[in-house]
Amino acid sequence: MPNKPSTMTTGSFSGPPKVLALNLAVFTAVQAGLTLAVKRYRGVDDVQTNMIGMFGAGASLSLTTNIFGNQPASSGQVKPTTPSAYAIDAVRTGALFAALNGAFMKLGQRFGGKNSSQDVYYYHTFGMLATLGLEKYEKNFRRGQLMDDCLSLLSDSALREIKIPPGPRLKILNYVAASKANVTAHQGIGDFGVHETISRA
C-alpha cells in the first residue's frame, strides 16, 4: 500500500466555515473529554494520558473529515470510502497526533524542568505530604483517590483505609486541623485551603 498523507495534512482545519467549525468542535471536545476521563481513571496527568486523549481527538477528526467533509482528496491520496479505510485512516491520524503531542511534552519536560506526572488533582495533597516528609505515601492517596477536594474531609478512618500508619496519620490530621484554623483565623471563613507555609507541629 503506498504511503498516503494523513487527514491532518489534507485540510482538516481548512475548508468552508461550517466544516471547519465541525472539525474544530469534534477535535476539542474529544481531546478534552477523553483526557479528563483517562486522567480520572489513572489518577495521573502524564505524557501517556495526554497522548491517549490526542489519539482519540485525531481519530475522531479523521472520521469527521472523511465522512462529513466534501473536500476532494489531495494529489497522491485516495480518499477513504469504505468502513475499513475509514478505520485505517483514523488510526493513522490518531497515532500521528499522539506521537507529536508526546514529543512536544517530552521536550517541554526536558527544557522546562517540569514534571508533567504531577497531577493537578493532588497538587495540595502532595504539597502537604512533602511538608511533613511523608512523600512515600503519595501512592496511598492515589489508590484511595483522596484528592485535594477531600483534604478538609480527612479522618482517621479514611487514612486507615488507605493503610497510612498511626504516626503519619496523626501528623496529617494535625496538619489539616492547623490549616483549617489558620484559614479561619486569617480569612474569617470556614473554607479550607492547604498552606505549605504552616510549620510542622
Side-chain angles (χ1 to χ4, degrees), residues 121-130 141 146-148 151 194:
Y121 296 112
Y122 296 91
Y123 179 80
H124 294 300
T125 301
F126 292 168
M128 172 189 71
L129 294 176
F141 276 78
L146 296 180
M147 304 177 190
D148 289 348
L151 286 179
V194 174

Side-chain angles (χ1 to χ4, degrees), residues 126-146:
F126 292 168
M128 172 189 71
L129 294 176
T131 300
L132 298 173
L134 301 175
E135 296 95 329
K136 67 179 181 179
Y137 295 112
E138 289 179 2
K139 61 181 181 298
N140 300 66
F141 276 78
R142 285 191 188 279
R143 281 200 296 265
Q145 297 185 357
L146 296 180

Side-chain angles (χ1 to χ4, degrees), residues 67-92:
I67 295 174
F68 300 106
N70 295 318
Q71 298 162 275
S74 301
S75 177
Q77 182 197 27
V78 178
K79 188 172 183 178
T81 56
T82 64
S84 61
Y86 288 148
I88 292 171
D89 192 70
V91 171
R92 180 188 295 115

Side-chain angles (χ1 to χ4, degrees), residues 8-186:
M8 189 177 75
T9 64
T10 60
S12 297
F13 290 117
S14 63
K18 184 179 294 186
V19 174
L20 177 60
L22 175 62
N23 289 347
L24 186 60
V26 169
F27 181 86
T28 303
V30 173
Q31 192 273 334
L34 185 56
T35 300
L36 181 60
V38 175
K39 189 185 301 182
R40 284 284 188 180
Y41 177 77
R42 298 182 67 225
V44 62
D45 181 17
D46 59 3
V47 174
Q48 288 74 25
T49 294
N50 284 273
M51 286 181 68
I52 293 172
M54 196 59 72
F55 176 87
S60 299
L61 179 64
S62 169
L63 292 173
T64 303
T65 302
N66 287 324
I67 295 174
F68 300 106
N70 295 318
Q71 298 162 275
S74 301
S75 177
Q77 182 197 27
V78 178
K79 188 172 183 178
T81 56
T82 64
S84 61
Y86 288 148
I88 292 171
D89 192 70
V91 171
R92 180 188 295 115
T93 304
L96 179 59
F97 273 80
L100 289 173
N101 178 259
F104 282 127
M105 290 191 70
K106 286 291 187 181
L107 286 174
Q109 287 181 42
R110 181 173 181 180
F111 295 107
K114 295 181 180 179
N115 180 11
S116 66
S117 65
Q118 174 73 11
D119 194 332
V120 293
Y121 296 112
Y122 296 91
Y123 179 80
H124 294 300
T125 301
F126 292 168
M128 172 189 71
L129 294 176
T131 300
L132 298 173
L134 301 175
E135 296 95 329
K136 67 179 181 179
Y137 295 112
E138 289 179 2
K139 61 181 181 298
N140 300 66
F141 276 78
R142 285 191 188 279
R143 281 200 296 265
Q145 297 185 357
L146 296 180
M147 304 177 190
D148 289 348
D149 56 1
C150 298
L151 286 179
S152 62
L153 305 174
L154 285 180
S155 64
D156 185 76
S157 60
L159 294 174
R160 189 183 300 115
E161 185 72 21
I162 60 172
K163 303 187 186 308
I164 303 293
R169 286 206 305 269
L170 292 174
K171 290 182 180 180
I172 291 170
L173 292 175
N174 182 65
Y175 185 97
V176 170
S179 296
K180 288 181 179 179
N182 184 67
V183 170
T184 302
H186 286 83

